[in-house]
Amino acid sequence: MPIADKVAAANQLNEFLKGIIRLGGFQLKYRITVDPSWKTTATGIRRRFWSSSRGLTARFCWRAMPKCLRSLELLSTNALRLHAGEHGKVSFDCGNQRALRLQELRTAANVAAEKVRRTGNPYAFAPMNSRERRMVHLALRDAADLHTESEGEGRERHLVVYPKDRAPRHED
């Protein structure tokens, strides 16, 4: 179901999180922010909810990142009854971990790109979730001499960087 009222959805998310925190016995403070550039369209909202966490349990979130926050995101998207394509509209962060992870992935993408250029051999990343694979794809999208592709199934899905002339040929 597309989100028609972002403020009502933020309030619904707040009530859901208060229940999770109370029932889980967490000592967690959070703030929900509706992105100011969030625009309503015929299909819903384009941007995301952001929730920043701090407090005693924030240290737990920091160590258990990213699994803990991804789990909360999944529960929250289910509570808001969002379709799979809309799951990116709810995003949690703790201690600026998302920005740090994005920088880490960009650095890894650049290192992999240089290795592929130097050796001419493909480079396979360790398995990662779809959001992280997308970040690497985007980090390398302007590299005209390289091609990126996600391969594998389920938890083993990973990204491979190929030289443009050695990219795999798939039969349809």
Side-chain angles (χ1 to χ4, degrees):
M1 144 186 118
I3 300 172
D5 182 348
K6 58 189 171 191
V7 174
N11 289 332
Q12 183 181 353
L13 180 60
N14 183 50
E15 291 303 313
F16 174 74
L17 290 173
K18 283 194 315 192
I20 291 285
I21 289 166
R22 183 178 44 77
L23 292 171
F26 297 110
Q27 294 177 2
L28 181 66
K29 295 179 183 177
Y30 64 91
R31 180 186 52 175
I32 296 175
T33 305
V34 177
D35 189 328
S37 63
W38 222 15
K39 294 190 172 107
T40 304
T41 66
T43 58
I45 306 297
R46 290 183 189 247
R47 299 300 294 226
R48 299 182 174 139
F49 295 99
W50 293 95
S51 180
S52 303
S53 306
R54 63 184 190 284
L56 296 178
T57 311
R59 283 185 236 123
F60 166 77
C61 289
W62 184 272
R63 285 192 305 270
M65 271 296 276
K67 290 181 182 178
C68 176
L69 296 181
R70 276 201 309 264
S71 296
L72 276 175
E73 286 173 357
L74 178 61
L75 291 171
S76 297
T77 58
N78 287 341
L80 292 172
R81 293 182 175 84
L82 298 178
H83 295 292
E86 298 176 305
H87 285 192
K89 293 178 181 171
V90 176
S91 179
F92 292 94
D93 200 4
C94 180
N96 206 29
Q97 276 292 300
R98 278 207 191 272
L100 295 172
R101 181 65 177 152
L102 176 59
Q103 185 56 46
E104 198 176 88
L105 288 169
R106 285 180 180 156
T107 300
N110 290 333
V111 168
E114 288 309 311
K115 186 171 186 174
V116 171
R117 288 179 179 120
R118 188 178 70 252
T119 66
N121 295 321
Y123 179 88
F125 282 87
M128 58 180 81
N129 66 54
S130 61
R131 284 185 184 181
E132 291 185 346
R133 288 193 313 273
R134 183 174 188 276
M135 289 179 195
V136 176
H137 282 299
L138 291 174
L140 297 176
R141 72 178 166 200
D142 294 329
D145 58 334
L146 301 173
H147 171 76
T148 61
E149 192 162 312
S150 291
E151 297 180 357
E153 298 293 326
R155 291 183 181 263
E156 296 303 311
R157 194 134 175 94
H158 61 281
L159 186 131
V160 180
V161 181
Y162 293 95
K164 191 68 145 191
D165 60 344
R166 290 194 50 202
R169 307 280 186 246
H170 294 286
E171 295 178 21
D172 292 327

